[in-house]
């Protein structure tokens, strides 16, 4: 049975990945960690939890050693919008924290390590529709810069030390359980909460802004599929493009209006528009499809149906 450590377990993705891992490996074998304890209402709070700051290598070392960890899912990070507000923090957490996890994994011979990358690795010089697997990586955000560094240093540990490190370039993740934590794609989650709760939304990107997105069940499915894949089939390690769906902000608003006819969306682009404009519209994920059989289950309509159903139930609307 695997012994699993999840960093950043209280975040948007960690809070849903942790219960999925507990279902597979047993609750007591999956140790959730974060810098703060999630409140009792969050998913994934039913099992072991430890406070751990990924910038503290000693803390990560003692947890991995004392708890006999053999698999790490490293979800702790500072996302794009928060990263632009505090670039030094983004560097320290995303690069320093990842370097700590990799070093401890090497020292302790951890069997397998996962670290997400992002569509933020791409920049304005990358072909946008679709962004190829192997292409120009010149991001303009500190977040993107830390994610390119993370991919490269993860690959370095594979080739230099033989550590089994894997990662995906997640699109913007849409989910109904835990709100997202300071990203540019957050509008595609906020819009659902506001549509259900108030019937109105002011969107911080232009209506014609198209970005790659993915529904949470596909995010979990892709993560587990890559971690389960036979290492011998993988020609890449920390940087797989993985696509779910692509849509513009106005297409998303129209889908929500299909289910909530009175919904009204206005647009007031802010600093996050420039970040969105630097990212691609879609991703070429043929390598993921060929090497570990990736196929998404949700498109724009099925994701919207499910989000609205879940949030209506949650808010009694
Ligand atoms: P999130 O912001 O919701 O969660 C991140 C978690 O990390 C938070 O719970 C936070 O408390 C924790 N954290 C912050 N600083 C920490 C520190 N110093 N030590 C330990 N924990 C710390 O982010 P998320 O959306 O769950 O993202 C998880 C991973 O997926 C990140 O690597 C992110 O870059 C990547 N990703 C997310 C998306 C998305 O749309 N959500 C898209 C692409 C990539
Ligand atoms: N969803 C993330 C963000 O917007 C992309 O990695 O920051």
């Amino acid at each position: 049975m695997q012994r699993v450590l999840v960093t950043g377990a209280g975040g948007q993705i960690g809070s849903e990945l942790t219960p999925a891992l507990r279902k597979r490996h047993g609750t007591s074998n999956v140790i959730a960690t974060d810098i703060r304890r999630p409140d009792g209402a969050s998913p994934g709070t039913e099992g072991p939890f430890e406070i751990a700051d990924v910038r503290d290598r000693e803390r990560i070392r003692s947890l991995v050693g004392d708890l006999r960890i053999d698999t790490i899912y490293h979800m702790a990070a500072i996302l794009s919008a928060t990263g632009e507000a505090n670039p030094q923090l983004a560097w320290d957490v995303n690069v320093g924290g990842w370097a700590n996890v990799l070093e401890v994994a090497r020292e302790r011979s951890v069997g397998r390590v996962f670290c997400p990358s992002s569509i933020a690795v791409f920049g304005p010089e990358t072909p946008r529709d679709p962004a190829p697997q192997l292409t120009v990586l010149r991001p303009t955000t500190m977040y993107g810069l830390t994610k390119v560094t993370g991919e490269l240093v993860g690959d370095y540990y594979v080739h230099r030390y033989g550590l089994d490190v894997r990662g995906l370039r997640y699109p913007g993740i849409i989910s109904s359980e835990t709100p997202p934590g300071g990203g540019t794609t957050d509008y595609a989650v906020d819009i659902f909460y506001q549509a259900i709760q108030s019937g109105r939304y002011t969107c911080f990107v232009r209506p014609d802004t198209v970005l790659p997105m993915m529904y949470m069940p596909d995010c979990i499915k892709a993560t587990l599929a890559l971690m389960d894949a036979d290492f011998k089939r993988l020609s890449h390690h920390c940087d797989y493009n993985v696509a779910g769906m692509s849509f513009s902000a106005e297409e998303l608003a129209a889908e929500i209006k299909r289910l909530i006819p009175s919904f009204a969306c206005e647009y007031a682009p802010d600093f996050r528009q420039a970040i969105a404009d630097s990212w691609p519209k879609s991703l070429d994920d043929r390598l993921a499809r060929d090497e570990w059989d990736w196929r998404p289950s949700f498109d724009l309509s099925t994701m919207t149906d499910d989000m609205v159903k879940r949030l209506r139930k949650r808010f009694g609307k």
Side-chain angles (χ1 to χ4, degrees):
M1 190 50 85
Q2 286 174 28
R3 296 277 299 162
V4 180
L5 186 87
V6 185
T7 72
Q12 184 194 6
I13 301 173
S15 65
E16 297 204 46
L17 178 64
T18 302
L21 292 169
R22 286 185 170 146
K23 214 164 160 188
R24 294 184 135 206
H25 304 297
T27 299
S28 61
N29 287 318
V30 178
I31 320 303
T33 71
D34 207 301
I35 39 171
R36 67 185 70 87
R37 190 173 287 277
D39 68 48
S42 302
T45 47
E46 74 288 354
F49 177 87
E50 298 281 343
I51 297 284
D53 187 325
V54 294
R55 292 168 294 180
D56 181 351
R57 188 178 297 184
E58 268 313 307
R59 177 70 175 142
I60 302 298
R61 185 181 279 129
S62 67
L63 283 172
V64 168
D66 295 350
L67 301 172
R68 297 171 287 107
I69 298 297
D70 58 28
T71 307
I72 302 176
Y73 289 80
H74 177 54
M75 310 308 286
I78 302 297
L79 274 72
S80 59
T82 310
E84 287 313 285
N86 196 339
Q88 289 77 19
L89 177 69
W91 180 267
D92 288 348
V93 174
N94 297 4
V95 177
W98 180 218
N100 287 339
V101 168
L102 282 171
E103 255 313 274
V104 170
R106 182 186 69 78
E107 288 166 13
R108 302 275 174 182
S109 303
V110 168
R112 199 163 287 180
V113 184
F114 177 83
C115 180
S117 186
S118 163
I119 52 168
V121 294
F122 303 116
E125 291 140 293
T126 305
R128 294 193 72 206
D129 201 11
Q133 174 68 47
L134 262 182
T135 187
V136 180
L137 300 181
R138 289 174 56 79
T140 49
T141 60
M142 176 55 84
Y143 174 67
L145 215 142
T146 66
K147 288 293 176 184
V148 175
T149 309
E151 288 183 358
L152 293 174
V153 77
D155 282 355
Y156 182 84
Y157 271 70
V158 176
H159 299 302
R160 177 78 167 77
Y161 301 116
L163 196 66
D164 184 347
V165 192
R166 305 175 183 207
L168 301 168
R169 291 172 177 156
Y170 288 148
I173 304 300
I174 299 171
S175 67
S176 59
E177 297 302 313
T178 302
T184 300
T185 57
D186 294 11
Y187 85 84
V189 180
D190 298 344
I191 192 171
F192 282 100
Y193 279 77
Q194 293 305 320
I196 300 289
Q197 291 179 292
S198 71
R200 310 190 65 79
Y201 182 61
T202 303
C203 182
F204 59 73
V205 295
R206 279 191 321 267
D208 64 345
T209 305
V210 178
L211 288 170
M213 300 279 182
M214 178 176 280
Y215 196 32
M216 184 63 88
D218 278 336
C219 170
I220 304 296
K221 181 168 96 166
T223 303
L224 299 179
L226 176 60
M227 285 297 267
D228 284 347
D230 183 349
F231 188 84
K232 292 197 283 296
R233 284 183 75 190
L234 306 179
S235 65
H236 279 237
H237 298 286
C238 299
D239 63 357
Y240 280 97
N241 280 3
V242 65
M245 59 191 92
S246 286
F247 52 76
S248 66
E250 65 190 344
E251 284 167 338
L252 177 58
E255 268 299 304
I256 294 173
K257 215 171 156 53
R258 172 172 67 79
L259 300 174
I260 308 172
S262 59
F263 175 57
C265 189
E266 293 172 341
Y267 298 87
D270 66 14
F271 72 99
R272 289 167 283 192
Q273 183 68 54
I275 300 177
D277 288 343
S278 75
W279 292 350
K281 294 181 175 191
S282 65
L283 304 173
D284 177 348
D285 66 356
R286 277 175 295 177
L287 200 70
R289 289 171 180 264
D290 291 348
E291 294 191 356
W292 44 276
D293 310 313
W294 165 244
R295 302 283 181 281
S297 299
F298 286 85
D299 61 16
L300 174 58
S301 292
T302 51
M303 177 275 292
T304 304
D305 289 344
D306 200 56
M307 280 291 286
V308 168
K309 186 178 82 190
R310 285 172 184 277
L311 291 176
R312 271 187 169 144
K313 190 170 172 208
R314 163 108 55 88
F315 295 110
K317 299 275 186 175

